[in-house]
Amino acid sequence: MLVMIAEDDGLHRSFARTIVERLWQGAVEVIEATNGDEAIDLGIRLAPSHVVLDLQLPRATGIEVARALWSRRADIQILFWSNFADESYVRGVARIVPPGSVYGYVLKSTSEEGMRSALRGVFSEGHCIIDREVRGIQSRVQDRLEGLTDGEYEGLIDIALGLTDKAIAARRGLSTRGAQARLKHLYEKLGVAPDGTGTDKAGSAFNSRTRAIYLALARGMINIDALRREQEKLDKWLAAGPSAGQRWPQ
């Protein structure tokens, strides 16, 4: 049984390795990666069947690592391990899990026994083991009344990156009115009043865009890792230039 532990913090890496080696004493080989690029390289070259994967790795995030590994082998069993239960990570994981794949998502605040149970459940018993707090976020994301749709989440990302209504429309293939409607729904979900309406608790004291970004950050809907990845996508879109018959938004 070959297990890869991808974790940049030495103490956490040693903690995970110790538990893995004790659980499968004499029947496991452990390899370690300290950043995302190394994890992808080792994963492709050595093909571990089981992976303990930090979501906040340098160079390439845990989500990028998992995507690269699962694109080659959907049967790899991955236990995501994170300090955070941010919605951006929960959404990111949900988007890349292949149908039928076995995975887990536990927080680093879990007890040693909790970590052992998660490892046994995912790696030996073939169960998906999801932390209770993470499950709550998954339920919220899937709730159409409370959670953001993919379109609303894209709108949140776009305003966080500083795009205008016209730029959002151009990037997402919408009319300007369609982009504005998407943002309106986003504001409603977050409880933010449109500029100047004074219908929320704060009245018209806040700009809707900056207020929405603040609330999203405070609730863990977006984080710096998500914004960094989205900025890279935006840079590629800008570098590609406008499609035929289109102009950059003015």
Side-chain angles (χ1 to χ4, degrees), residues 23-223:
L23 279 173
W24 294 282
Q25 190 170 7
V28 64
E29 178 184 355
V30 177
I31 57 176
E32 297 181 0
T34 59
N35 63 66
D37 287 346
E38 186 180 11
I40 292 172
D41 177 63
L42 289 175
I44 292 173
R45 287 194 295 107
L46 302 181
S49 55
H50 307 81
V51 179
V52 178
L53 185 56
D54 182 14
L55 280 168
Q56 295 92 22
L57 289 170
R59 299 191 185 176
T61 68
I63 289 173
E64 292 166 336
V65 173
R67 183 189 293 113
L69 299 184
W70 270 331
S71 69
R72 290 163 175 80
R73 282 185 53 198
D75 63 334
I76 297 176
Q77 295 173 331
I78 297 178
L79 178 63
F80 294 99
W81 198 31
S82 176
N83 281 315
F84 307 103
D86 288 2
E87 184 173 323
S88 59
Y89 290 130
V90 174
R91 281 181 177 271
V93 170
R95 288 177 175 176
I96 64 169
V97 176
S101 292
V102 175
Y103 78 101
Y105 190 141
V106 295
L107 300 179
K108 291 183 179 178
S109 58
T110 192
S111 65
E112 183 175 337
E113 179 55 38
M115 185 66 169
R116 282 198 295 266
S117 296
L119 286 165
R120 279 195 300 262
V122 176
F123 291 175
S124 289
E125 300 167 8
H127 299 316
C128 289
I129 306 296
I130 311 297
D131 181 270
R132 180 180 299 176
E133 184 177 348
V134 175
R135 284 203 309 269
I137 295 174
Q138 287 178 330
S139 297
R140 186 179 72 200
V141 169
Q142 294 166 0
D143 187 328
R144 292 195 174 193
L145 295 178
E146 184 178 355
L148 301 184
T149 66
D150 287 344
E152 291 160 0
Y153 187 76
E154 286 179 353
L156 174 60
I157 291 294
D158 289 337
I159 63 172
L161 294 177
L163 296 183
T164 64
D165 292 355
K166 289 183 178 180
I168 294 172
R171 186 185 187 199
R172 303 299 182 182
L174 303 168
S175 66
T176 301
R177 184 170 296 179
Q180 291 168 342
R182 175 176 285 188
L183 296 182
K184 179 177 180 293
H185 294 150
L186 168 67
Y187 298 152
E188 290 172 350
K189 290 281 182 72
L190 293 175
V192 177
D195 292 333
T197 63
T199 58
D200 64 2
K201 292 181 181 178
S204 56
F206 297 120
N207 173 277
S208 296
R209 287 180 174 239
T210 52
R211 185 64 176 169
I213 294 167
Y214 162 74
L215 290 173
L217 287 168
R219 298 178 190 179
M221 293 179 168
I222 54 176
N223 57 34

